[in-house]
């Protein structure tokens, strides 16, 4: 009885959704929902079934609905969970909804590979069935298998690809978006072995190829063990970051695809998001049209919902017809095992909006009550929301109509601006690695403080520094992560990045202007207000996050000698993308290699031995960039060596958390042996108030 009552409640909810869709004119969704109820295997009581039938008949008559499956007799075979033993070989899995023009270009490049055993194409209710489009284009191959999904009103990547993974029959899965092509030597360049998966990386991609980030090559058993894509995510964004994180957490190592072996066919965000966006009228509409907002919203959603793991269930599908090369399936809407409530989705979008606005207008945005914040977004455009608006909304108490006056639109058009004028801004687009970025920020922050400008830090994670500013420091300053968040007009721009077109390193920064100013730099800015002591004060004012603070607290370095040994990027050690000659001018790269040779660990050991001979009770704190260096120093100095053990030596978030802790620990030692031409050694010096002596490799020892 209890099961029957529960089933009746589920059916009632589905029919209520069908009625709502029909009233909104979405007859396709309404027909699909009704079809699920009519063809459901579960049995309800006779009274309930009669009532449901009457409601369905009334809805079909009132809104002109038809039986959505009259042309496809239901077979009612459930799609399996994919747990059957896979065959040897490679299954390409792709999905599309109406974007067949790119698919028709990509498929031949997949079929050209003999190692491809099958190509599973999930046709997510395309207006023109994919099977027809392939036939019309003359693309015929026995390896192609089309899985046609009926009655889906909108694109849902997680459902579509997870269906494709479950329909795949081979042990290796090559997940390809419909706009990704394979080069002839793809399999020679990308060897998939046990214990790893190969994935795209937007940071390693060439300009314009960032969307290879969604590509991956993985063992089917590893993919199904984490239940594929997170099906709580049903809109654009964060799906690939989420699945890569869960694969890594399951013990599978991520390897970057050879970026020369695949190619993304370019198209705009309107296609990616499912159509051309209308011109946004306010900040709220602007955010909902922003891909970054969608990504951040799904990130929050994934954090709030239960972990997507082996305990979750895939969305259920029934196979209506299977002719071998073409199968027709339908999602069982009445039996969805996992759903995200509207309240949780709205909350995730609110936090994403709050985050993006705080990058523009400062962290005080987090102090604005939700209703006032939403009213502000509905009243102005993003570029019209400044720190004054946030301050008014955050500090408002009894006089609620003050906010109305500050943010409302007048009948004549433009919003009434608050009386407090927004300060002119100095944007610093910090470049390269951690030390370089913090050096450039410190210089800009010192200048901004002396010239009464608002400092805004543009910190974009990339292959030089693959973490967010908030991963390292408490966000007490305005931080943005995308150049798109910088106004396109009313701003004067400078670039110190010498390899970039139009750049002029050390160009004097002119701030006697009403314009905002943006400087793209990895170096100290040329301005009278950029003074060493003031710059260092700005750095010391930054508050490390708890994870960094705990690492620092784990090692006692009182009275220690600090040694920073920087050898990577020297001759023969510049194979990483962030150490490549392409990052600097030939002369600068030549100087880097010269000074790296001077900072070999052997030179440090000779000097440390002299210092230890003078004081046998001294200890050493070491920070270095190569794991073998730690091995050498451990064998040589034993218990006199202190350091932070770590697993990674790259530019990932995990490593950079340790790097910042290293810099802080170095700064707390008694004296320092640094590597010349290293911004990281310079960072430790800038942060220190304790060094009694500093010696540099190649100069002092």
């Amino acid at each position: 009885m209890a099961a029957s009552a529960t089933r009746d409640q589920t059916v009632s909810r589905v029919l209520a959704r069908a009625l709502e869709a029909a009233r909104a004119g979405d007859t396709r969704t309404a027909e699909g929902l009704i079809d699920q109820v009519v063809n459901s295997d579960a049995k309800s009581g006779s009274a309930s079934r009669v009532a449901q039938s009457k409601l369905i008949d009334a809805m079909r008559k009132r809104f002109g609905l038809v039986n959505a499956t009259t042309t496809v007799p239901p077979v009612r075979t459930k799609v399996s969970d994919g747990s059957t033993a896979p065959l040897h070989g490679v299954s390409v899995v792709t999905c599309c909804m109406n974007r067949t023009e790119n698919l028709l270009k990509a498929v031949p490049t997949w079929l050209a590979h003999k190692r491809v055993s099958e190509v599973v194409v999930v046709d997510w209710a395309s207006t023109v069935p994919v099977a027809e489009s392939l036939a019309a284009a003359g693309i015929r191959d026995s390896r192609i298998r089309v899985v046609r999904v009926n009655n889906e009103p909108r694109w849902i990547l997680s459902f579509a690809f997870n269906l494709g993974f479950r329909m795949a029959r081979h042990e290796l899965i090559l997940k390809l978006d419909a706009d990704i092509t394979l080069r002839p030597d793809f399999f020679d360049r990308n060897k998939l072995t046990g214990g790893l998966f190969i994935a795209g990386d937007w940071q390693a991609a060439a300009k314009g190829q960032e969307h290879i980030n969604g590509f991956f090559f993985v063992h089917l058993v590893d993919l199904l063990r984490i239940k594929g894509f997170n099906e709580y995510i049903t809109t654009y964004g964060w799906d690939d970051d989420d699945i890569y994180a869960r694969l890594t957490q399951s013990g599978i190592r991520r390897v970057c695809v050879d970026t020369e072996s695949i190619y993304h066919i370019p198209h705009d965000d309107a296609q990616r998001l499912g159509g051309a966006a209308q011109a946004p009228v306010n900040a709220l509409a602007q955010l909902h049209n922003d891909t970054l907002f969608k990504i951040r919203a799904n990130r929050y959603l994934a954090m709030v919902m239960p972990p997507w793991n082996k305990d979750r269930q895939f969305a259920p599908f029934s196979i209506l017809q299977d002719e071998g090369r073409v199968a027709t399936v339908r999602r069982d809407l009445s039996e969805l095992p996992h759903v995200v409530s509207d309240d949780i989705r709205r909350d995730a979008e609110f936090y994403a909006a709050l985050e993006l606005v705080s990058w523009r207008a400062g962290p005080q945005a987090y102090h604005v009550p939700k209703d006032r914040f939403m009213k502000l977004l509905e009243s102005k455009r993003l570029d019209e929301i400044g720190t004054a608006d946030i301050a008014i909304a955050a500090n408002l108490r009894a006089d609620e109509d003050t906010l109305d006056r500050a943010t409302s639109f007048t009948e004549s058009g433009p919003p009434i601006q608050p009386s407090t004028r927004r300060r002119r801004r100095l944007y610093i687009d910090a470049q390269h690695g951690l030390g370089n970025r913090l050096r450039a920020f410190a210089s800009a922050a010192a200048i901004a403080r002396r010239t009464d400008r608002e400092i805004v830090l543009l910190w974009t994670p990339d292959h030089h520094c693959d973490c967010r500013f908030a991963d390292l420091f408490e966000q007490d300053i305005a931080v943005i992560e995308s150049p798109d968040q910088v106004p396109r007009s009313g701003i004067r721009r400078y670039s110190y990045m010498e390899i970039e077109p139009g750049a002029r390193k050390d160009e004097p920064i002119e701030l006697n202007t009403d314009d905002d100013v943006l400087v793209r730099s990895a170096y100290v800015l040329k301005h009278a207000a950029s003074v060493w002591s003031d710059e260092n004060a700005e750095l010391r004012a930054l508050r490390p996050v708890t994870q960094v603070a705990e690492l620092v607290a784990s090692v006692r370095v009182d009275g220690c000698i600090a040694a920073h040994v920087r050898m990577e990027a020297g001759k023969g050690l510049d194979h990483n993308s962030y150490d490549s000659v392409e990052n600097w001018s030939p002369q600068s790269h030549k100087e880097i290699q010269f000074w790296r040779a001077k900072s070999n660990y052997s030179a440090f050991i000779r000097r440390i031995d002299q210092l230890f001979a003078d004081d046998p009770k001294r200890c050493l704190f070491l920070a270095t960039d190569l794991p073998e260096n730690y091995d050498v120093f451990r064998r040589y100095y034993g218990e006199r060596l202190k350091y932070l053990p770590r697993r990674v030596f790259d530019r990932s978030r995990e490593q950079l958390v340790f790097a910042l802790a290293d810099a802080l620990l170095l700064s707390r030692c008694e004296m320092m042996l640094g590597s010349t031409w290293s911004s990281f050694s310079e960072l430790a010096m800038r942060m220190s108030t304790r060094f009694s002596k500093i010696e540099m490799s190649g100069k002092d020892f």
Side-chain angles (χ1 to χ4, degrees):
M1 291 291 291
S4 178
T6 301
R7 192 264 174 192
D8 287 343
Q9 291 172 1
T10 301
V11 170
S12 295
R13 285 196 294 268
V14 174
L15 290 177
R17 289 167 57 196
L19 181 59
E20 182 181 355
R23 285 172 173 166
D26 188 357
T27 57
R28 186 176 185 180
T29 297
E31 290 165 355
L33 290 166
I34 290 174
D35 188 49
Q36 295 297 309
V37 174
V38 171
N39 292 287
S40 174
D41 285 336
K43 304 299 182 184
S44 59
S46 58
S48 297
R49 184 179 299 179
V50 170
Q52 292 158 8
S53 297
K54 287 182 177 179
L55 176 58
I56 289 170
D57 290 342
M59 289 169 61
R60 283 177 170 164
K61 183 177 180 180
R62 170 68 177 81
F63 298 103
L65 306 179
V66 298
N67 186 343
T69 59
T70 52
T71 59
V72 184
V75 177
R76 300 301 301 165
T77 301
K78 296 286 186 180
V79 174
S80 76
D81 61 3
S83 60
T84 54
L87 303 172
H88 179 70
V90 176
S91 290
V92 170
V93 176
T94 193
C95 306
C96 71
M97 184 179 191
N98 295 325
R99 285 162 50 187
T100 53
E101 64 278 6
N102 289 331
L103 177 68
L104 298 179
K105 298 174 185 175
V107 167
T109 73
W110 309 341
L111 296 172
H113 292 273
K114 293 182 179 179
R115 284 199 58 190
V116 172
S117 305
E118 70 173 344
V119 175
V120 177
V121 183
V122 176
D123 175 7
W124 196 257
S126 297
T127 304
V128 177
V130 168
E132 294 181 13
S133 298
L134 290 170
I139 300 176
R140 296 179 175 85
D141 192 295
S142 60
R143 292 174 289 172
I144 297 176
R145 188 177 180 210
V146 178
V147 181
R148 167 77 179 183
V149 185
N150 281 343
N151 303 318
E152 291 292 344
R154 68 177 182 90
W155 169 242
I156 304 178
L157 179 146
S158 58
F159 289 1
F161 271 104
N162 281 355
L163 171 63
F165 300 149
R166 292 150 66 193
M167 298 293 284
R169 295 173 291 195
H170 297 271
E171 62 184 348
L172 303 182
I173 298 294
L174 190 55
K175 183 269 182 184
L176 296 171
D177 290 333
D179 47 21
I180 295 291
T181 63
L182 297 181
R183 305 294 195 190
D185 56 354
F186 171 82
F187 287 102
D188 294 330
R189 288 173 175 254
N190 299 279
K191 305 290 187 181
L192 181 62
T193 59
L196 61 81
F197 71 100
I198 299 171
D201 188 341
W202 64 270
Q203 298 168 83
K207 186 175 182 180
Q209 288 294 300
E210 293 82 1
H211 289 289
I212 67 169
N213 198 78
F215 160 92
F216 60 80
F217 190 20
V218 66
H219 290 82
L220 178 61
V221 64
D222 293 333
L223 186 61
L224 294 179
R225 187 181 295 122
I226 65 162
K227 285 294 171 73
F229 279 106
N230 185 339
E231 293 191 8
Y232 291 126
I233 298 175
T234 60
T235 57
Y236 176 85
W238 197 248
D239 38 68
D240 45 9
D241 296 87
D242 180 89
I243 197 171
Y244 297 157
R246 289 184 292 109
L247 279 167
T248 302
Q249 290 164 7
S250 73
I252 311 301
R253 183 165 62 91
R254 179 179 178 179
V255 175
C256 183
V257 67
D258 185 317
T259 57
E260 297 298 319
S261 66
I262 62 176
Y263 178 75
H264 169 256
I265 303 171
H267 55 80
D268 60 23
D269 281 343
Q271 279 186 281
R272 186 169 295 107
L273 298 178
Q278 295 181 346
V281 296
N282 56 28
L284 189 61
Q286 285 180 285
L287 288 171
H288 279 275
N289 284 341
D290 184 356
T291 56
L292 182 58
F293 167 79
K294 296 175 184 294
I295 291 168
R296 303 307 288 180
N298 279 336
R299 173 178 175 268
Y300 281 111
L301 188 150
M303 290 169 62
V304 170
M305 296 301 293
W308 189 263
N309 56 26
K310 61 182 179 59
D311 298 324
R312 305 282 81 80
Q313 299 178 45
F314 289 120
F317 288 82
S318 293
I319 300 175
L320 305 180
Q321 196 172 56
D322 191 348
E323 299 175 353
R325 293 180 59 185
V326 179
T328 304
V329 306
R330 181 189 58 211
R331 184 158 55 100
D332 299 331
L333 300 178
S334 62
E335 301 176 26
L336 286 179
H338 306 295
V339 295
V340 177
S341 71
D342 291 341
D343 286 342
I344 290 178
R345 190 172 302 282
R346 282 192 293 266
D347 284 346
E349 291 177 350
F350 164 68
Y351 287 116
L354 194 60
E355 182 181 25
L356 267 60
V357 170
S358 76
W359 294 348
R360 293 170 169 268
Q364 195 175 8
Y366 287 95
H367 299 292
V368 179
K370 185 175 181 179
D371 57 340
R372 297 176 193 160
F373 181 76
M374 297 307 295
K375 190 170 186 178
L376 188 60
L377 295 185
E378 293 167 355
S379 305
K380 291 191 171 188
R381 292 174 59 83
L382 282 173
D383 56 0
E384 295 168 343
I385 297 176
T387 53
D389 302 281
I390 294 298
I392 289 171
N395 296 323
L396 204 59
R397 290 294 181 266
D399 187 11
E400 290 290 341
D401 63 359
T402 302
L403 180 63
D404 296 331
R405 293 197 301 272
T407 60
S408 64
F409 284 89
T410 66
E411 291 183 1
S412 59
I416 301 173
Q417 296 292 334
S419 58
T420 305
R421 181 181 180 276
R422 177 176 76 80
R423 284 193 298 162
R424 295 167 299 171
R425 291 173 176 165
L426 174 56
Y427 293 86
I428 178 65
D429 184 358
Q431 292 293 301
H432 284 340
L434 180 63
N436 284 302
R437 290 185 181 214
L438 291 177
R439 172 173 60 192
F441 160 75
S443 175
I447 295 169
R449 190 176 298 277
R450 288 290 187 95
T451 58
D452 193 31
R453 284 181 177 258
E454 178 187 359
I455 184 70
V456 180
L457 172 60
L458 172 52
W459 182 290
T460 304
D462 61 18
H463 64 123
H464 290 284
C465 191
D466 188 10
C467 74
R468 301 175 58 229
F469 182 80
D471 292 327
L472 303 175
F473 296 102
E474 299 293 339
Q475 204 156 304
D476 298 327
I477 59 172
V479 181
I480 58 178
E481 292 187 350
S482 170
D484 293 337
Q485 295 172 263
V486 179
R488 296 183 182 276
S489 60
I491 188 165
R492 180 177 295 186
R493 297 173 183 267
Y494 297 83
S495 177
Y496 279 22
M497 306 311 294
E498 53 190 337
I499 63 167
E500 298 177 353
R504 293 175 58 192
K505 187 178 178 182
D506 295 331
E507 180 181 4
I509 306 300
E510 175 56 58
L511 296 177
N512 188 22
T513 171
D514 286 333
D515 290 337
D516 291 337
V517 171
L518 179 143
V519 185
R520 181 174 168 87
S521 179
Y523 316 102
V524 169
L525 278 54
K526 189 76 170 180
H527 191 277
S530 187
V531 179
W532 174 267
S533 59
D534 291 352
E535 296 162 3
N536 297 348
E538 296 292 341
L539 279 180
R540 294 170 193 149
L542 296 174
R543 295 185 297 130
V545 296
T546 300
Q547 185 180 4
V548 173
E550 289 176 346
L551 286 172
V552 173
S554 70
V555 183
R556 292 183 60 85
V557 294
D558 296 341
C560 282
I561 299 168
H564 173 233
V565 182
R566 177 76 161 101
M567 288 174 56
E568 201 171 39
K571 191 171 183 179
L573 295 172
D574 56 356
H575 54 280
N576 292 313
S577 62
Y578 43 81
D579 289 324
S580 169
V581 65
E582 297 175 357
N583 295 304
W584 296 276
S585 67
Q587 180 58 33
S588 293
H589 192 254
K590 185 177 180 181
E591 289 189 69
I592 289 172
Q593 291 196 331
F594 173 81
W595 288 110
R596 292 292 180 270
K598 299 292 185 182
S599 62
N600 188 277
Y601 66 77
S602 59
F604 281 83
I605 288 176
R606 285 195 297 270
R607 180 57 181 145
I608 293 166
D609 283 348
Q610 294 171 355
L611 294 169
F612 276 7
D614 294 339
D615 186 352
K617 294 183 179 180
R618 272 181 166 169
C619 288
L620 169 70
F621 177 78
L622 174 68
T624 185
D625 52 7
L626 295 173
E628 51 266 35
N629 290 352
Y630 283 108
D631 293 337
V632 170
F633 277 77
R634 273 196 303 268
R635 290 195 299 268
Y636 199 85
Y637 292 112
E639 293 183 357
R640 299 181 73 177
L641 175 68
K642 298 185 178 185
Y643 65 100
L644 281 175
R646 83 274 325 272
R647 300 176 302 169
V648 290
F649 293 83
D650 52 20
R651 298 295 177 91
S652 65
R653 177 197 175 279
E654 180 181 356
Q655 189 276 335
L656 288 163
V657 166
F658 277 83
L660 178 56
D662 273 339
L664 290 167
L665 285 165
L666 289 169
S667 74
R668 297 183 180 190
C669 293
E670 180 183 279
M671 70 169 291
M672 180 168 177
L673 306 179
S675 293
T676 301
W677 207 268
S678 166
S679 63
F680 191 81
S681 285
E682 181 183 329
L683 175 62
M685 296 175 206
R686 286 178 175 275
M687 287 183 159
S688 180
T689 58
R690 301 185 184 183
F691 290 155
S692 60
K693 189 176 184 181
I694 297 172
E695 297 181 5
M696 301 303 294
S697 62
K699 295 182 177 181
D700 302 307
F701 62 90

